[in-house]
Amino acid sequence: MFVSDISKLSIKVCECTKCPLHKSCNRTVFGSGNIYSNIVFIGEGPGKEEDELGIPFVGRSGKLLTKMVESIGLSRDRIYVMNVVKCRPPENRNPSQEEIDSCHQWFVEQLNIANPNYIVLLGKVACDKFTGKSFSMKQYRSKNPKTIEFSDGRKVTLIFTYHPAYLLRNPGMKTEAWKDMKILRDVLEERYE
Ligand code: SF4
């Protein structure tokens, strides 16, 4: 059921013209990985390589994300990866609030189908989008791991960390991101107190 639901949604997203980004992008970049996974990583939007291939996190950032994931014994085919917006913002700028709002429906529907127990938020755009707040990454990361409960009783554990593109520009921060990955590993192994 997941696969047919997610396929139908990806077709709707392909046809979306709700914001101007559809005019400048090559193709929509929906999501990749294992939709049955209970772990979802969320970035901000597609970059150049992603825009060319239609797959999220396949460029240099994607390779670094793969290393981050593998550093705690996971693999890309054991997680699901998606972005806040599905079309590439020109020149890799951050998506505007209007663009994020336009893509909100797809974001929510995609996340509802995935229905994960663990969400890793990559960078401030994804952290702000998911929480509806605006903190610094330092403030977000101080909350790791953060468990939230929805009105229907569903619980999701959040891990806040840096976007791989930021880490490529600021390699000195990789140690901090690796600390976040270790928290995720401990949560998954139920070793976190
Ligand atoms: Fe539609 Fe989202 Fe692409 Fe904007 S970014 S055109 S809302 S799919």
Side-chain angles (χ1 to χ4, degrees):
M1 187 184 93
F2 282 174
V3 171
S4 71
D5 288 348
I6 208 80
S7 299
K8 281 182 199 159
L9 184 61
S10 73
I11 291 166
K12 284 192 208 168
V13 169
C14 270
E15 295 164 351
C16 177
T17 56
K18 287 205 279 183
C19 86
L21 291 182
H22 81 277
K23 292 183 195 159
S24 53
C25 75
N26 275 315
R27 66 197 78 232
T28 53
V29 179
F30 182 65
S32 77
N34 185 352
I35 192 63
Y36 295 105
S37 171
N38 60 359
I39 312 165
V40 170
F41 282 62
I42 304 178
E44 62 186 53
K48 188 171 182 292
E49 289 93 342
E50 288 80 11
D51 176 66
E52 283 163 6
L53 293 171
I55 304 169
F57 286 99
V58 287
R60 287 180 67 221
S61 297
K63 289 197 175 80
L64 184 53
L65 178 67
T66 303
K67 278 190 187 167
M68 290 165 72
V69 166
E70 290 178 349
S71 75
I72 56 166
L74 292 172
S75 57
R76 286 286 292 265
D77 59 9
R78 286 182 58 198
I79 62 167
Y80 187 70
V81 180
M82 56 182 273
N83 280 311
V84 171
V85 295
K86 314 302 179 198
C87 301
R88 182 192 180 208
E91 310 302 326
N92 285 352
R93 65 162 169 75
N94 284 348
S96 69
Q97 193 57 52
E98 291 73 22
E99 290 156 357
I100 292 171
D101 292 344
S102 298
C103 226
H104 175 76
Q105 179 192 350
W106 309 134
F107 179 83
V108 170
E109 287 188 34
Q110 188 175 20
L111 210 44
N112 281 343
I113 294 169
N115 193 22
N117 297 114
Y118 308 95
I119 296 178
V120 182
L121 296 161
L122 300 164
K124 183 168 162 57
V125 171
C127 294
D128 287 356
K129 168 64 186 166
F130 192 88
T131 62
K133 309 235 187 297
S134 179
F135 295 122
S136 67
M137 283 310 298
K138 189 176 176 189
Q139 288 170 314
Y140 278 125
R141 291 183 60 248
S142 71
K143 302 174 200 296
N144 280 336
K146 182 175 174 62
T147 300
I148 55 169
E149 187 168 350
F150 294 102
S151 51
D152 61 4
R154 250 182 335 128
K155 286 185 183 168
V156 177
T157 300
L158 306 177
I159 303 289
F160 303 97
T161 193
Y162 297 106
H163 193 285
Y166 171 84
L167 295 173
L168 287 171
R169 295 193 302 272
N170 301 274
M173 299 304 283
K174 283 184 186 172
T175 316
E176 295 301 306
W178 256 248
K179 286 180 192 167
D180 301 332
M181 289 300 98
K182 281 183 191 161
I183 293 174
L184 173 63
R185 180 195 63 194
D186 289 351
V187 167
L188 292 172
E189 293 175 359
E190 296 182 358
R191 283 198 279 149
Y192 205 86
E193 296 186 4

